[in-house]
Amino acid sequence: MAIEVRKVVLESVSDASGLAKLIDDGVFDADGVVAVVGKTEGNGGVNDFTRILADQAFRKVLMDKGTRPFEEVKEIPMVWSGGTDGILCPHATVFAKVEDDGPASSEPRLAVGYAMSDVILPEDIGRPAMVEKVAEGVRRAMAEAGIEDPADVHYVQTKTPLLVMETINDAKARGHTVYTEDPLESMNVSNGTSALGIAVALGEIGMPTAEQIGHDLTLFSSVASCSSGVELDQAQTVVVGNAPGAGGRYRIGHDVMNDALDQEGVYRAIRNAGLDLPERARYQDLGDKLVNVFVKCEADPTSRLRGRRQVSLDDSDVHHHRHIKGAVGGVVGAAVNDAAVFVSVAALHQGPSGGGPVAAIVDVG
């Protein structure tokens, strides 16, 4: 078996026709789909229900066109990141298992693994208990993907719970405290804690102390892309890497954007995936070989960008998540000549402070 990976655009908030067409055209079977990572057009906040609408639409297609029972289809990892600010385009990247009839490659090729963690309690978020639970899930997802060497892991996408008033009050009723009582801030904290779990699992860092979580910005993962929402109470983990013996025509690589203007970080990730690019690459050099790029970003906490003062963190009208997502979306979209790129915010402990990880999937034939 090999992994086939394709990108489809969402023409409306609940449009899954792109997925349906891939199945109808025989690119892969509905029963072969193993994961979906996408962007929806909502506000990207706690109450962004466009994620749920897209999720329902994609699962319905898999039910209508496949043979798997509902209990299996509902367990397929679908990580939806809300918010397509600026030029960003709502889209989804679909991963599916297919029969590989081609000649075996001597190089590792794309592999995907999936796992759900133990239940993450409200009082775990932002604390070492969550780090440990996420790390354990990452290790199981690696094993499912057939990846033994952490160096072969290039992208780990998680979806974790955040705090809302109901779960905050639940923790209090049981005699526990929570990291924060601000639901929006808990999104950032949940993402960051999950990233540290990924970093621990892959040996990028040692186990952090409670005091370091959310504060020591020297601790980060270079392959973590973490999202959170209200729709689950576990860490849903998708590990994407290159495995020896895996079939297919795709490879993945990664690097980091050191800041919001680091367009070269995108090209470094593409090179790392196996595409030969000139020293000063441009989108014309990509041809039709790039499937998609996946980027995390954040407004620099110092409010400086290459020495210039930034004001998005002081904006009381538009949240800085919206500012930076639109800005980095423009930078990355220009780098690859495509607005349908995965750019997600709240990058605490994901890549260097003020920057973020970049993963790229390419068709190497």
Side-chain angles (χ1 to χ4, degrees):
M1 301 296 289
I3 296 294
E4 181 66 36
V5 55
R6 295 294 181 94
K7 181 167 65 178
V8 296
V9 168
L10 277 63
E11 297 294 350
S12 68
V13 69
S14 57
D15 173 42
S17 62
L19 171 62
K21 187 175 188 305
L22 289 173
I23 296 169
D24 291 342
D25 289 348
V27 176
F28 47 72
D29 293 332
D31 291 346
V33 173
V34 295
V36 176
V37 178
K39 290 292 299 182
T40 65
E41 61 204 72
N43 61 19
V46 174
N47 63 333
D48 183 352
F49 301 111
T50 65
R51 298 182 296 232
I52 297 175
L53 293 172
D55 191 278
Q56 291 174 339
F58 271 62
R59 292 188 198 278
K60 184 178 186 304
V61 168
L62 297 183
M63 286 294 299
D64 291 346
K65 295 186 176 293
T67 63
R68 286 182 287 189
F70 174 72
E71 291 302 315
E72 288 186 24
V73 171
K74 77 175 185 178
E75 293 299 320
I76 296 170
M78 293 191 184
V79 181
W80 297 100
S81 171
T84 47
D85 305 76
I87 66 168
L88 289 173
C89 172
H91 72 279
T93 304
V94 183
F95 299 84
K97 288 184 177 179
V98 296
E99 293 286 346
D100 183 24
D101 298 326
S105 171
S106 60
E107 296 181 342
R109 293 295 171 98
L110 191 71
V112 179
Y114 163 67
M116 293 291 283
S117 76
D118 291 338
V119 170
I120 295 174
L121 300 170
E123 59 267 27
D124 294 339
I125 296 174
R127 291 169 175 159
M130 181 175 175
V131 175
E132 293 171 349
K133 290 178 180 180
V134 171
E136 188 272 335
V138 171
R139 296 184 188 104
R140 285 192 290 110
M142 281 181 61
E144 187 191 66
I147 299 174
E148 297 181 359
D149 187 349
D152 288 330
V153 175
H154 295 276
Y155 178 53
V156 182
Q157 178 68 59
T158 61
K159 188 77 173 187
T160 52
L162 46 75
L163 294 168
V164 293
M165 295 314 301
E166 180 181 0
T167 55
I168 291 169
N169 290 331
D170 171 66
K172 288 181 177 179
R174 292 183 288 104
H176 296 280
T177 62
V178 292
Y179 187 98
T180 177
E181 296 191 16
D182 180 347
L184 184 58
E185 174 59 20
S186 78
M187 176 183 290
N188 197 39
V189 172
S190 181
N191 291 357
T193 312
S194 181
L196 292 177
I198 294 166
V200 167
L202 300 180
E204 294 178 282
I205 63 170
M207 184 67 189
T209 65
E211 293 74 21
Q212 289 177 303
I213 298 173
H215 299 288
D216 186 349
L217 301 184
T218 66
L219 300 180
F220 62 84
S221 171
S222 295
V223 299
S225 178
C226 304
S227 182
S228 50
V230 299
E231 59 266 36
L232 74 177
D233 61 3
Q234 297 167 275
Q236 177 180 268
T237 302
V238 180
V239 167
V240 187
N242 300 312
R249 54 189 301 118
Y250 302 99
R251 282 179 54 86
I252 186 170
H254 80 277
D255 209 285
V256 298
M257 290 179 71
N258 290 304
D259 60 31
L261 292 176
D262 188 14
Q263 195 176 69
E264 291 300 320
V266 177
Y267 296 129
R268 290 193 299 270
I270 294 170
R271 288 191 190 94
N272 187 247
L275 194 60
D276 188 24
L277 297 177
E279 183 177 352
R280 293 186 59 82
R282 293 296 179 263
Y283 72 82
Q284 292 93 337
D285 302 312
L286 304 177
D288 59 355
K289 297 299 185 182
L290 179 68
V291 177
N292 206 1
V293 290
F294 306 84
V295 181
K296 289 295 290 191
C297 63
E298 64 173 358
D300 196 304
T302 67
S303 290
R304 292 274 169 176
L305 177 56
R306 301 193 180 184
R308 304 294 193 187
R309 186 171 75 96
Q310 303 285 286
V311 298
S312 64
L313 291 171
D314 295 319
D315 193 334
S316 299
D317 296 313
V318 180
H319 195 273
H320 59 85
H321 282 179
R322 313 298 294 269
H323 282 283
I324 195 65
K325 193 190 307 174
V328 173
V331 171
V332 176
V336 301
N337 195 37
D338 190 353
V341 288
F342 185 93
V343 177
S344 175
V345 290
L348 178 67
H349 295 308
Q350 297 152 79
S353 183
V358 184
I361 297 175
V362 301
D363 182 346
V364 292

